[in-house]
Amino acid sequence: MTLRGRLTAAFLVVVLGPVLLGAIFVASTVTAVDRSRSTERLAVAASTVRTSVDALCQQLRATADAVALTGDPPAAATQLVGRGLAAAVQITDVTGQVTYASPGAPSMPWRDCSGPVETQSGPVRALAARVDLRDRAGALRGTVAAAQLVDPVFVARLAAVTGVAVTLLGGASSDRVTHTTESRDVRDAVLAAASAVDSERVTETTEGRYVRRIGPSTGQPLPLVLSVPSERPPGLHVTLIGAVVLAGLLAVLTAWRLARVTTRPLAELASAVDRVAYGDLTARVPVRSHDELGRLAEAFNRMTRETGSYVAALTSSRDQLRGHLAVLGDTLASTHDLQRILRVILHSAIAATGARAGAVLLVETGGMLAAQCTEGLDGRWPEGDADGSQTLRVPVGVGVVGAVAATGEPQRGRVEPTEVLAGEPRCRTYVAVPFATPGGSAVPTATPGSADDTGTPAVALGVLALYDRVGAAEFDDDDLVTLRTFAGHAAVAVENVRVHEEAQRLSLTDPLTGLWNYRYLRESIRREVERASRFGRMLSVLALDLDRFKDVNDTYGHAAGDTVLAEFARRVRGEIREVDLAFRQGGEEFVLLLPETDARGAAIVAERLGAAVRDTPIAVEAYAGPVLVTVSVGIAVYPDHGSTGREVLEAADDALYGAKAAGRDTYRVAEVRPDVPTRELPVLAGAVSPPDGLPRAGRPVPAHREPGGPARSEPAAGVPESSPAGPAHARPEPADNPAAGVPDGARAGPDAARPGPGGGASSGPHPPRQSRGR
């Protein structure tokens, strides 16, 4: 049998069989569907009626409550009736005598919204809600009833809300109609059908209407009958028979024509498909019509053309990608923003491989892989993993990425639906590639892995992991090669950033003491003065110089002098706050910056530093006894002793010379500039801080000066009488010249070698604070 004959026979069977069965099915189910839909409409209407009546009753109760709670119930009743919240309000006393009734109130009896159903009979004139009327002491004074008229308008509103015909009966068991929206020709049939049922069951009339009776019941005291017309079309069976006959005739003619028209284009399409299957993307199908087969031929031709274009574009993109990787590597190697570098690498890797999600993880100290940047991982964490949505952390050696970091071997594969990767997001496919420095160096950890020459286990710097390739296909070897290239760039970038950070740190710190150096002092004092000026705070600058340090070098040697300097720096760090900054200016000279500190606080710090050095001699290895050293301190405060960082530092140096001249092992506060209005700032014996704990610039604090020890008991020692009171902490607008952070040239003083010429201040990075808390 030919394809045309098979198509004709199949079409007749497929068309006529369902038509015959459908006709029978339609005839038998239309009635059931009609009854079901009508029943559903009546159920919805009944629910709507209950809701409407309940809403009306609640409104009436609220109205009655409002009247009962006012001091003048008649006035409140008149106002509420005027607003339309109730048709009438009636107030009775405890004996049942009516004390107030709204004009034009409906005639009695009123049907109570909450009254027992069995006690309510007769036609319904109005719905009412009653509440108790009590005096201020709570004694019962009577009742308040709010009523709403039940009339044809009310019944019409119910019909409009429900979309069905509504009939209000004369009583709970009466068939007499009070109000109705039914037409006269079906009213008797509806009432007869409603009388035949004693519940809310749906029944059908002979005129083709479905009827349901609701109420009276608790919460719905109205006896109502609801009805809807049948939606079953007339003459249904005759129409179905005619449709079956006509469909049979049309099916025979259509099958023959369709089989004839269909076979030829299908043969041509099959031939073209075979050619494309063997790689010939130039195959085309003739378009002989504009029907579905014609559109199929056009779509096939368009598909082959676009496929050829995609193949050419992919080939070109592959070549361009190889060239762009080299450019990307140069760009990444010249950037020091690690987060930006890793984001570029991750986004490029995702775009190159078609992955849906990915992450770049770096190995932290202690053998933990932590995600530095992620893409598309939201919603991929196992249920109940509270931390997964926040960060991706995997121990080295655990899971896929942990194993890749520990072994240095890349991995790719597919995850079964029931399998869960330890500590990693859900995925179907994955690929993970490790990366290390170009020389192959790694980060030592305690996690088992490959060991280096010293026997210390080592892992890679990090891992580049991608998940779920677009199209649900597994990652292939080409993706692995591409990721190895991106991982190499990531390793170079990480190493460059670390080398840059280490070089920057070394350029700003003193190698002997570990304190910040003179270069960072110039930058920091400019920044701190700006901050103090901006926020109206004070900044104290302490210039420190070890007394007779040249004798230490001459007596014990320069190695011992280095030991003394390192130990002195350690003690300084132990006496200052975390926010304070300590610098080695040069030789045995040091500088402290104390933000938000006035002269009083700086004097306390100076005394503690002097005691820390004086009371505990410094032990020097290879010498019989400890080395006794003392320190002299000069104190200057911004803005009292200078308006720029250079001026404040010079004032602290001048105060240091005064401390040296006073006999050393003491401190002095700089003289206040004569051009600045000042007030006296004595050192308190029992200091009392302002309410916020910070001294305010320009606010005098009356106090008593605390002697500074034997060397500080002289009038010139400690804080001078001309020192200003006030607080210290602020952020200013730049006022001083960064290039003038220190005086030019070398200045000699007692037992002190001054540093050489100062350069311009840098606006470079701000490393972490050097000091520990007090």
Side-chain angles (χ1 to χ4, degrees), residues 542 544 546-547 568 571-572 575 602-616 629-633 665-667 712:
L542 276 64
L544 292 77
L546 292 177
D547 299 326
F568 175 72
R571 296 185 185 183
V572 168
E575 296 296 333
I604 295 174
V605 175
E607 289 184 352
R608 287 167 51 182
L609 289 173
V613 176
R614 180 192 324 108
D615 297 344
T616 306
V629 294
T630 57
V631 63
S632 298
V633 183
D665 190 19
T666 185
Y667 68 92
R712 302 177 183 85

Side-chain angles (χ1 to χ4, degrees), residues 340-589:
R340 180 168 174 243
I341 291 173
L342 296 182
R343 282 196 301 271
V344 170
I345 292 173
L346 178 60
H347 292 168
S348 301
I350 290 177
T353 59
R356 297 182 183 273
V360 179
L361 302 94
L362 296 182
V363 178
E364 297 179 340
T365 304
M368 182 67 70
L369 276 168
Q372 302 300 313
C373 63
T374 60
E375 181 75 18
L377 295 186
D378 294 341
R380 290 179 173 269
W381 302 102
E383 296 182 0
D385 187 358
D387 298 331
S389 60
Q390 303 297 328
T391 183
L392 173 59
R393 296 179 63 86
V394 181
V396 174
V398 177
V400 173
V401 295
V404 170
T407 61
E409 296 294 331
Q411 293 188 21
R412 63 181 179 89
R414 179 178 292 274
V415 179
E416 297 299 329
T418 58
E419 183 180 358
V420 177
L421 299 178
E424 299 181 48
R426 294 195 304 266
C427 63
R428 294 187 300 273
T429 59
Y430 65 88
V431 59
V433 177
F435 56 86
T437 56
S441 62
V443 179
T445 67
T447 304
S450 58
D452 55 16
D453 296 338
T454 61
T456 302
V459 295
L461 285 175
V463 176
L464 173 59
L466 302 181
Y467 303 99
D468 289 344
R469 187 176 184 179
V470 176
E474 291 190 27
F475 294 95
D476 52 26
D477 292 335
D478 292 337
D479 297 325
L480 205 59
V481 173
T482 303
L483 284 189
R484 284 182 180 273
T485 303
F486 283 110
H489 293 318
V492 172
V494 172
E495 185 66 15
N496 287 347
V497 170
R498 290 180 175 176
V499 170
H500 174 74
E501 291 176 349
E502 179 63 17
Q504 188 179 45
R505 186 190 67 81
L506 293 176
S507 69
L508 298 177
T509 56
D510 176 60
L512 175 62
T513 62
L515 301 180
W516 301 119
N517 59 17
Y518 175 67
R519 174 186 176 188
Y520 191 55
L521 169 62
R522 294 182 302 169
E523 177 183 345
S524 298
I525 195 170
R526 175 187 59 80
R527 183 179 60 250
E528 294 298 335
V529 166
E530 289 177 356
R531 180 180 297 123
S533 176
R534 184 175 298 117
F535 293 100
R537 306 295 187 187
M538 286 186 173
L539 170 68
S540 291
V541 179
L542 276 64
L544 292 77
D545 187 276
L546 292 177
D547 299 326
R548 298 185 176 87
F549 184 73
K550 185 176 182 300
D551 296 341
V552 175
N553 284 333
D554 295 341
T555 304
Y556 302 101
H558 288 281
D562 292 345
T563 301
V564 171
L565 290 175
E567 174 61 20
F568 175 72
R570 186 191 67 80
R571 296 185 185 183
V572 168
R573 285 194 297 266
E575 296 296 333
I576 60 178
R577 303 168 300 178
E578 184 178 356
V579 298
D580 300 333
L581 294 174
F583 305 86
R584 185 185 179 193
Q585 190 174 13
E588 69 276 18
E589 287 192 356

Side-chain angles (χ1 to χ4, degrees), residues 248-320:
L249 295 177
L250 294 177
V252 173
L253 296 176
T254 305
W256 178 80
R257 177 62 181 173
L258 183 62
R260 184 174 179 275
V261 173
T262 303
T263 53
R264 183 178 179 182
L266 288 177
E268 294 173 345
L269 182 61
S271 176
V273 169
D274 288 337
R275 292 172 58 188
V276 172
Y278 285 101
D280 183 10
L281 296 179
T282 62
R284 299 292 184 268
V285 178
V287 180
R288 301 184 181 279
S289 64
H290 297 287
D291 57 4
E292 287 77 3
L293 288 176
R295 291 198 298 271
L296 178 61
E298 292 176 352
F300 177 82
N301 295 337
R302 186 169 59 253
M303 179 190 67
T304 54
R305 286 194 301 268
E306 292 181 356
T307 302
S309 301
Y310 291 155
V311 170
L314 289 175
T315 303
S316 176
S317 298
R318 180 191 60 189
D319 297 336
Q320 292 178 1

Side-chain angles (χ1 to χ4, degrees), residues 14-243:
V14 170
V15 172
L16 293 181
V19 168
L20 294 174
L21 295 177
I24 298 173
F25 176 77
V26 169
S28 61
T29 59
V30 164
T31 301
V33 171
D34 178 57
R35 181 179 181 85
S36 175
R37 294 182 60 183
S38 299
T39 302
E40 182 179 356
R41 287 183 60 190
L42 290 174
V44 173
S47 177
T48 305
V49 167
R50 293 190 181 94
T51 303
S52 301
V53 173
D54 182 66
L56 178 59
C57 289
Q58 291 186 14
Q59 176 181 325
L60 295 175
R61 291 190 189 95
T63 303
D65 284 335
V67 173
L69 293 175
T70 59
D72 188 1
T78 302
Q79 185 179 8
L80 293 175
V81 170
R83 292 182 179 179
L85 298 179
V89 175
Q90 178 177 287
I91 304 175
T92 60
D93 56 17
V94 293
T95 63
Q97 185 68 27
V98 176
T99 61
Y100 172 81
S102 299
S107 60
M108 292 291 181
W110 294 353
R111 185 64 56 91
D112 194 348
C113 288
S114 59
V117 176
E118 59 273 8
T119 63
Q120 300 175 354
S121 62
V124 180
R125 304 297 182 187
L127 277 178
R130 290 180 170 82
V131 298
D132 293 337
L133 179 63
R134 298 180 182 275
D135 56 15
R136 294 181 179 276
L140 183 64
R141 294 172 50 195
T143 60
V144 177
Q148 183 65 46
L149 184 64
V150 178
D151 55 3
V153 176
F154 177 81
V155 176
R157 284 202 303 268
L158 288 181
V161 170
T162 58
V164 300
V166 179
T167 300
L168 176 63
L169 301 179
S173 59
S174 174
D175 294 333
R176 186 168 58 86
V177 176
T178 302
H179 307 294
T180 183
T181 61
E182 296 281 2
S183 60
R184 292 183 177 275
D185 54 346
V186 299
R187 182 182 305 173
D188 295 337
V190 169
L191 291 177
S195 301
V197 294
D198 55 357
S199 63
E200 295 190 0
R201 183 167 51 87
V202 176
T203 184
E204 185 178 3
T205 67
T206 57
E207 283 75 13
R209 295 186 68 87
Y210 293 92
V211 180
R212 177 173 178 173
R213 184 170 180 174
I214 63 171
S217 61
T218 302
Q220 203 292 96
L222 301 179
L224 300 174
V225 175
L226 310 179
S227 72
V228 293
S230 172
E231 298 179 358
R232 185 169 57 248
L236 177 64
H237 296 85
V238 177
T239 303
L240 291 177
I241 293 174

